[in-house]
Amino acid sequence: MLRLLSRRLIAAGVLLVVITALTSLLTTLVPDPTHNLLGMTATPEQVAAKRVELGLDRPVSVRYLEWLGGAVQGDLGVSWFTGLPVVETITARLPITVSLAVIATLVSAVTGIAFGMAAALRRGWLDRALQVAAALGFAVPGMWVALLLVIVFAVQLRWLPATGYVAFAESPADWARSLLLPVVAIAAGSVAAVAAQTRNAVAAVLNQDYVRTLRSRGLPRRRLLLRHVLRNAAPTALTVVSLQFIGLLGGAIIVEQIFAINGLGSLAAAASSRSDIPVVLGVVVVGVLIVLTVNLVVDLLVSWLDPKVRTP
């Protein structure tokens, strides 16, 4: 397990450097931020001075290495537009996006695994309904679901707020109400995907010879399902859930725009439109770290559930 962990950490470090280097290279293609900072009426002398101040007159490789040296020490630089440290700016927005993605993942995982197991065990109309729901979940865009939820539950019924976010510390009840529609919008398609994959995995395990043998020996159904069937189907379900979390994290960025939630999504959109390169790089680092952490945790869980996946 320690060898697996060390390999994953080394690969994660290399991947993080590669992605941030490519992002830094791509930032050379964005519009010159000095025009956004100084205005279109700025003189060429003012623009040149501002470029020197921001370090844009130096090669991108030099700028990246300086940024990387600070990032290793926990310093992601300062926003060119607000003057605030990037770490402070991201820290203020991160809990909102993470809470959206984590809650949506938990909802999709619990609901999807429950429906998937039920469909695999009962078959019949429930199995056919799940296949139809999975197809609809893949076909219907999350943005359309979000807009439909706003129209029905916020505009017409007025049960829930259409926009905004309330911190948990201010009011747990209002926090839950502000997250309900965004979470449902994000998790709607993911539930069907998790359910479909769980159904296939459980059905495959139920057809194994050892399951039929245990069933013929009179092993209690509950123990058979929880200890043997679900445990052997869990690696597939965990892998699907981890992939859905990554997708939900990206979906949260889009949903934040619809529900006017000031998370990482709105921060990334604003920084990209203004060519605020330090903030863009900071958001990329945080996003990659979250994805790598989730993948690492899932790899460790899968290797614990199924030792055969470990490489000697």
Side-chain angles (χ1 to χ4, degrees):
M1 188 71 74
L2 291 177
R3 187 179 302 174
L4 174 66
L5 179 61
S6 62
R7 288 201 305 268
R8 292 293 188 272
L9 290 176
I10 294 174
V14 173
L15 182 62
L16 187 61
V17 172
V18 171
I19 291 178
T20 53
L22 290 175
T23 303
S24 181
L25 181 62
L26 290 174
T27 57
T28 59
L29 304 177
V30 302
D32 193 337
T34 55
H35 294 295
N36 292 328
L37 288 167
L38 301 176
M40 300 305 296
T41 59
T43 64
E45 292 77 13
Q46 291 174 324
V47 171
K50 194 65 177 179
R51 287 182 60 83
V52 172
E53 179 185 343
L54 299 178
L56 295 175
D57 60 318
R58 293 176 295 170
V60 63
S61 58
V62 175
R63 301 202 309 264
Y64 172 72
L65 290 176
E66 289 185 357
W67 175 88
L68 184 62
V72 172
Q73 303 175 26
D75 181 13
L76 297 177
V78 177
S79 170
W80 289 346
F81 286 81
T82 64
L84 297 175
V86 174
V87 173
E88 179 181 326
T89 303
I90 292 178
T91 302
R93 306 285 192 100
L94 183 61
I96 301 174
T97 301
V98 170
S99 61
L100 272 175
V102 169
I103 295 175
T105 301
L106 291 176
V107 170
S108 62
V110 173
T111 308
I113 291 174
F115 277 114
M117 287 196 65
L121 294 173
R122 296 182 180 274
R123 303 294 176 91
W125 68 268
L126 184 59
D127 191 13
R128 292 190 293 271
L130 176 60
Q131 295 178 17
V132 173
L136 291 175
F138 286 119
V140 178
M143 181 181 299
W144 185 86
V145 175
L147 293 175
L148 182 63
L149 291 173
V150 170
I151 293 173
V152 174
F153 294 100
V155 177
Q156 296 182 352
L157 299 177
R158 298 184 180 180
W159 289 352
L160 297 167
T163 59
Y165 173 81
V166 178
F168 182 84
E170 296 180 12
S171 173
D174 291 338
W175 171 80
R177 293 179 73 249
S178 67
L179 285 182
L180 185 56
L181 289 183
V183 166
V184 173
I186 299 172
S190 181
V191 170
V194 174
Q197 294 297 324
T198 302
R199 180 263 178 203
N200 294 335
V202 172
V205 175
L206 288 173
N207 290 327
Q208 297 294 320
D209 292 336
Y210 75 90
V211 174
R212 288 193 289 266
T213 301
L214 292 174
R215 186 180 294 166
S216 65
R217 291 180 178 178
L219 189 69
R221 180 182 176 86
R222 181 184 180 88
R223 184 178 178 184
L224 174 65
L225 292 177
L226 296 180
R227 186 171 180 178
H228 298 280
V229 176
L230 187 58
R231 180 184 177 90
N232 286 278
T236 300
L238 283 174
T239 302
V240 174
V241 169
S242 68
L243 294 175
Q244 291 301 314
F245 174 82
I246 298 172
L248 293 176
L249 191 63
I253 294 177
I254 299 174
V255 169
E256 285 175 6
Q257 304 297 310
I258 298 175
F259 291 95
I261 298 176
N262 293 324
L264 282 183
S266 58
L267 177 63
S272 300
S273 63
R274 299 182 302 190
S275 301
D276 196 346
I277 295 176
V279 176
V280 171
L281 286 172
V283 172
V284 169
V285 168
V286 172
V288 173
L289 284 176
I290 293 175
V291 171
L292 291 175
T293 301
V294 171
N295 286 335
L296 177 60
V297 172
V298 170
D299 285 343
L300 294 177
L301 287 175
V302 169
S303 65
W304 174 69
L305 290 170
D306 187 7
K308 291 184 295 182
V309 304
R310 303 176 195 170
T311 303

